[in-house]
Each structure stands twice: as C-alpha cells, then as structure tokens.
Amino acid sequence: MSTTVRAAAKINLHLGVGAPREDGFHPLDTVYQAISLYDDVTVAEAEEDSLSVAGSPYIDVRDVPGDASNIAVRALAEAACRSPHHVRITKQIPVAGGMAGGSADAAAALLAHDRLHGLAQPDEVLLAQAARLGSDVPFSLVGGTARGRGRGEVVEPVTDRGSWWWVVVPAGTGLSTPDVYRHFDRLHPDAPAQPAEPTGLLAALASREPVRLARTLHNDLQESAIDLRPELGALIERGEAEGALRGMVSGSGPTCVFLCDSQEGAMAVMAALSASYDVVLPAVGPVAGAHVVEVL
Ligand code: ATP
C-alpha cells in the first residue's frame, strides 16, 4: 500500500527579520503564500527503508540527499514510524532556492505516513511534528496564505481574496539559507529585536488589487541575497522593465519571483525573460497545503 501527497512551494510576500534570539534563530514576522509548483512524495510499505528522488528536467536533484539525512526520511523518524518504507520524491520545486522545497517534502511525508496507516492524528500533533523538523514545515502543511511568527513556525491563515499571478525564475546554483542569514547579521548588527510587521500587505491581500500588493511586498533578506549574488539585482530590474509590477527575491533566494497584473501579463513577462534565462515558470497563488493525490 502507498499514499502520495502533493505539497507546494512557498514564497514570502513579507519577510521581516529581527536580531538573532538567544537560541540563535532569527525572530520572523512573515506572510507566506503557497504557489503552484509542487513536489510529490509517495510513502509505501516496503521490506526495508529506501529512498528515490526524481525531478522535472529543470531540477538538479544531485543536491538532494539520497540517504537518511533527507528531510522526508527525517519526517518519518519524527512521526515515530517503526515499520520500513520506501519514500519516493518527485521534485518540481527548485532545490536550495528559497522556496521551501525540503520543507514541502517533510510536510508531505508526515501527512502521507499518517494517512497510509490510518492514524488520523489531530492537526496540532502534525503541526508540532512539523515545527520540530523546520521553521517552514508547518506552513507547508497549512498552505494558502498565512502569517508566520516565532521563527516562522507559528502559522495563522490570513484573509487573501486574490488569485495572484507570478513568474518564477530559479537560479542554476542554490544559496545556503544560513549563509544569507549570516550576511544579514553582518549588514545589520543593530537589527531591532522585533521584526517589521506586514500591516499594509495584509490590507492589500484583502483588496484583490495587484498594484497595491506590489507596493507592499517586502523582504529583509533581499539585500543580503543580492550582495551575495549581484546578478539577482539585474534580474529583478529586467523583469520589472518587461512589465512585472514588482520583482523580489523569494525568501533567502536565489529564486526571484515577479508579481504580474494578470495571467496574460505573466505570460508576456515569461516570454520576455525566457529570451535570457533558461528556466522561467508561471505560477498562481494561493494554492492548498499538503494534500493526498493518490492512494494505492
Ligand atoms: P528554505 O526556503 O526553507 O530556506 P530552500 O528552498 O532554500 O529552503 P531546500 O530546497 O529546502 O532549500 O534545500 C535546502 C538543503 O536541504 C539542500 O541543499 C539539501 O541539501 C537539503 N535537503 C534535505 N532534504 C531535501 C529534500 N527533500 N529536498 C531538497 N533539499 C533537501
């Protein structure tokens, strides 16, 4: 028997970062949105533990661990799973791209394991397991558009009446999230303890107006990511010159996302950027959190 769960990539519409806490984590005030790029994770009963990873043609899965350090396998350990399983991951989400691909796989594995064995654990139990695996994992379970506080793991859905069109440009080589945070600390030795709040953005989400949302997008890590990868600044300028309402680094990068005024607008920006960039993808958000797509 096997269960397959699909989980979406995230972008951060707002990412406020405060000074590091005593435990070393940065306090965040963020607004996540799940967008239509997905990883599928199948958890199947097996004679012994094993893992396989495949990807869409544009995804380089060589950086995805093929052993027990893979976060989807760690998710089964977190779920206190005793019997052996085969885990199969099929990736569409760029690796180390600031889109929480590993977190999506962890959330998908937790849910697939729960459903495969008919555990039907309450949301609070799955969310607590998710939070122990990583700051973005609870959001990957919840999906939609949600505010994240604490280190990002305390999630609460927010009103989002829009259906927003994005163009996503992944980079060939990933950026390490800890490196980007370390650079943030160097650039901002006196960052405030309290991260910036997303007040204007929350009103924009409820308004359904893309121009308003474009004005309120905010990422405190963007400067650090561009400092480490100056070509991202040129990419953002180019996308905006081609008609995007606003371009920004997704989370810790290096993927950049461009908010467009409509589906047609996104197709036009995509066509223009495709002349210079190998991988340019359309996406819409918000979409659902981790959900079962196949039971065999
Ligand atoms: P975030 O946005 O949450 O900071 P990210 O999208 O930048 O994360 P991931 O794709 O989650 O980055 O990968 C980060 C690192 O995690 C990779 O370099 C890889 O070595 C490791 N990893 C472990 N398991 C996975 C997995 N299932 N998929 C992708 N990366 C994984």
Side-chain angles (χ1 to χ4, degrees), residues 10-246:
K10 65 83 184 157
I11 57 180
N12 300 81
L13 308 179
H14 174 95
L15 182 51
V17 180
R21 311 188 303 203
E22 286 203 341
D23 63 5
F25 285 104
H26 290 78
L28 302 185
D29 195 338
T30 187
V31 177
Y32 299 106
Q33 184 169 87
I35 64 166
S36 58
L37 281 179
Y38 303 97
D39 283 0
D40 284 351
V41 177
T42 301
V43 177
E45 290 174 313
E47 296 293 315
E48 55 187 34
D49 283 328
S50 58
L51 168 69
S52 61
V53 184
S56 308
Y58 65 86
I59 297 281
D60 188 352
V61 294
R62 281 174 302 183
D63 292 334
V64 178
D67 58 17
S69 69
N70 191 295
I71 192 165
V73 176
R74 288 197 281 119
L76 295 192
E78 182 59 48
C81 166
R82 306 228 178 276
S83 52
H85 292 91
H86 177 65
V87 176
R88 187 171 67 239
I89 304 175
T90 308
K91 293 196 75 74
Q92 256 183 20
I93 305 175
V95 179
M99 302 192 86
S103 302
D105 298 349
L110 282 178
L111 187 65
H113 173 264
D114 179 85
R115 297 302 191 261
L116 176 68
H117 296 292
L119 304 178
Q121 298 168 95
D123 288 354
E124 302 78 66
V125 173
L126 288 172
L127 286 167
Q129 291 170 353
R132 286 193 288 275
L133 286 159
S135 303
D136 295 342
V137 184
F139 173 72
S140 298
L141 279 175
V142 169
T145 305
R147 188 166 181 180
R149 280 180 275 197
R151 54 182 166 83
E153 86 285 18
V154 184
V155 287
E156 163 197 15
V158 300
T159 301
D160 182 354
R161 298 200 180 89
S163 197
W164 312 98
W165 282 92
W166 300 93
V167 171
V168 178
V169 185
T173 314
L175 252 182
S176 145
T177 303
D179 286 354
V180 177
Y181 274 103
R182 267 193 291 275
H183 198 54
F184 173 87
D185 292 338
R186 278 195 292 271
L187 292 176
H188 301 282
D190 43 17
Q194 291 299 323
E197 292 185 9
T199 317
L201 181 112
L202 294 177
L205 285 169
S207 80
R208 281 205 197 97
E209 288 174 34
V211 172
R212 214 168 143 189
L213 184 65
R215 270 196 232 113
T216 53
L217 296 171
H218 175 84
N219 181 359
D220 274 340
L221 293 181
Q222 174 156 315
E223 183 192 10
S224 317
I226 293 179
D227 231 31
L228 296 171
R229 288 283 176 83
E231 67 271 23
L232 301 182
L235 166 56
I236 290 171
E237 276 178 27
R238 172 78 190 280
E240 292 179 348
E242 297 291 358
L245 296 175
R246 179 89 186 271

